[in-house]
């Protein structure tokens, strides 16, 4: 499906921003990705969902070559990252990544966290880097925290700083790997809001998330992975509310109502070995 969500035109190129072809990745004899084919159009938001261990992080990490694919091809903006002759540092600058852990430098200010990579990696001069930092802090609603240190911020604010840091490098594509999973529930919303705004501005995004309401509302497409393959994909609303595959249905049931599945699975292990009754209230 061609994407028209972006702010700008496609500048004469109809190629998807991200193209993944026949991607395999093994760690030793652990065959984690088993033939992934996926396109993400310019300005498109694709949410990747699936059980733990299904290869979602490995897929994202292969897209910016943090992991080297065992076979297959990855193109970003028409450049083949898996070409051995590619300038991988240059190619990677076009890709911003946001992790579950924010990885901010604790000993420098928020502004320093945003200017340092620009100066080191891009060679941006000090004034320009500071201006870009201000602009992106403003974008994530944290202009007032420019001089704060990470420890003075909530987890949600730190993750917004991490997003602003990635944006300060001027990426064409943003990859998010469970960006809200380490956050207290009340802080999830502010991070998702920032991501929603980015999506609205036309950023090309791949988002690994368990936030189904976000996926439904913001994603153009949802991809369900299991066992290193894409089991199904389609418009967010369809995959989340009317999945075609049994495996997708089972996964969604567990994500949407975790208590329903986890409790019985652990029950047998709770049987007291010495014949004593379990303590009242189920505490052990
Ligand atoms: N750097 C690594 N070295 C060895 N095994 C890895 C590495 N990264 C991931 N794996 C393995 O790959 C599989 C998929 O992991 P991952 O991509 O993190 O899944 P997900 O993000 O869906 O939970 C797991 O079996 C995991 O142990
Ligand atoms: Mg993961």
């Amino acid at each position: 499906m061609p994407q028209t969500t972006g702010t700008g035109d496609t500048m004469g190129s109809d190629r998807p921003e991200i193209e993944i072809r026949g991607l395999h990745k093994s760690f030793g004899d652990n065959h984690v990705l088993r033939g992934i084919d996926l396109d993400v159009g310019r300005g498109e938001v694709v949410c990747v969902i699936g059980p733990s261990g299904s290869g979602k992080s490995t897929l994202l990490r292969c897209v910016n070559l943090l992991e080297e694919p065992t076979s297959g091809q990855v193109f970003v903006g028409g450049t083949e990252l898996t070409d051995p002759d590619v300038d991988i540092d240059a190619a990677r600058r076009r890709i911003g990544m946001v992790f579950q852990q924010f990885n901010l430098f604790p000993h420098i200010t928020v502004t320093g966290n945003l200017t340092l990579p620009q100066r080191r990696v891009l060679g941006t001069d000090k004034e320009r880097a500071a201006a870009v930092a201000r602009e992106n802090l403003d974008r994530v609603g944290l202009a007032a925290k420019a001089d704060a240190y990470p420890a003075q911020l909530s987890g949600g604010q730190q993750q917004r700083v991490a997003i602003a840091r990635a944006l300060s490098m001027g990426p064409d594509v943003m990859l998010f790997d469970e960006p809200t999973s380490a956050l207290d529930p009340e802080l999830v919303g502010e991070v998702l809001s920032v991501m929603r705004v980015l999506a609205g501005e036309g950023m090309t995004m791949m988002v690994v998330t368990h936030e189904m309401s976000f996926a439904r509302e913001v994603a153009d497409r949802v991809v369900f992975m299991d066992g290193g393959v894409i089991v199904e994909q389609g418009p967010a609303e369809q995959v989340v509310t009317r999945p075609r595959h049994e495996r997708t249905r089972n996964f969604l049931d567990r994500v949407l109502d975790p208590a329903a599945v986890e409790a019985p699975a652990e029950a047998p292990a709770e049987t007291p070995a010495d014949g004593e009754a379990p303590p009242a209230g189920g505490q052990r």
Side-chain angles (χ1 to χ4, degrees):
M1 212 183 307
Q3 296 303 313
T4 51
T5 351
T7 42
D9 206 338
T10 55
M11 296 196 289
S13 165
D14 286 336
R15 283 185 76 156
E17 188 68 41
I18 302 173
E19 300 165 274
I20 301 166
R21 297 278 174 268
L23 180 65
H24 288 257
K25 175 65 183 177
S26 296
F27 296 102
D29 48 18
N30 186 6
H31 193 175
V32 174
L33 298 179
R34 298 167 172 258
I36 302 281
D37 290 281
L38 183 65
D39 285 349
V40 181
R42 195 159 300 187
E44 193 179 16
V45 178
V46 170
C47 281
V48 179
I49 63 173
S52 178
S54 57
K56 306 179 300 295
S57 295
T58 303
L59 174 61
L60 283 195
R61 293 168 62 81
C62 282
V63 170
N64 64 3
L65 253 60
L66 283 177
E67 297 290 355
E68 193 184 343
T70 305
S71 63
Q73 292 174 298
V74 175
F75 298 85
V76 174
T79 302
E80 184 184 349
L81 271 64
T82 37
D83 179 343
D85 295 330
V86 78
D87 179 349
I88 189 63
D89 293 329
R92 241 191 226 130
R93 275 174 220 145
R94 311 178 57 177
I95 307 170
M97 183 135 182
V98 175
F99 302 90
Q100 187 173 323
Q101 302 301 337
F102 331 120
N103 303 323
L104 300 176
F105 289 119
H107 58 288
I108 52 178
T109 63
V110 163
T111 296
N113 270 278
L114 269 61
T115 53
L116 187 70
Q118 293 182 68
R119 302 196 62 202
R120 286 230 180 121
V121 179
L122 305 178
T124 310
D125 71 54
K126 201 172 173 182
E127 284 70 35
R128 172 74 191 144
V132 170
R134 269 196 303 279
E135 184 186 309
N136 284 298
L137 282 177
D138 198 37
R139 234 167 143 186
V140 301
L142 288 175
K145 300 292 184 187
D147 298 323
Y149 286 85
Q152 297 171 312
L153 305 180
S154 73
Q157 291 171 330
Q158 290 186 53
Q159 189 61 301
R160 286 152 66 196
V161 171
I163 293 171
R165 175 182 56 187
L167 292 173
S168 294
M169 305 298 280
D172 297 325
V173 168
M174 288 281 285
L175 310 176
F176 295 86
D177 193 356
E178 300 200 33
T180 60
S181 293
L183 299 177
D184 290 334
E186 75 272 21
L187 304 177
V188 167
E190 63 190 73
V191 172
L192 295 180
S193 297
V194 165
M195 293 168 62
R196 194 177 290 118
V197 168
L198 271 186
E201 290 172 2
M203 179 62 77
T204 305
M205 294 164 54
M206 267 181 91
V207 184
V208 174
T209 186
H210 296 292
E211 297 291 336
M212 289 306 141
S213 54
F214 176 83
R216 268 177 79 170
E217 185 198 334
V218 180
D220 297 295
R221 198 147 39 97
V222 167
V223 170
F224 172 68
M225 277 181 71
D226 195 8
V229 299
I230 293 175
V231 174
E232 75 173 287
Q233 59 173 305
E237 181 69 22
Q238 183 256 305
V239 174
V240 176
T241 61
R242 283 170 285 113
R244 296 201 171 96
H245 288 259
E246 184 70 30
R247 281 152 89 184
T248 318
R249 272 196 291 277
N250 287 341
F251 170 75
L252 288 168
D253 285 347
R254 271 182 288 148
V255 171
L256 299 172
D257 186 8
V261 182
E262 277 169 26
E266 291 183 2
E270 298 287 308
T271 310
D274 56 6
E276 266 178 39
Q283 288 173 357
R284 292 171 61 96

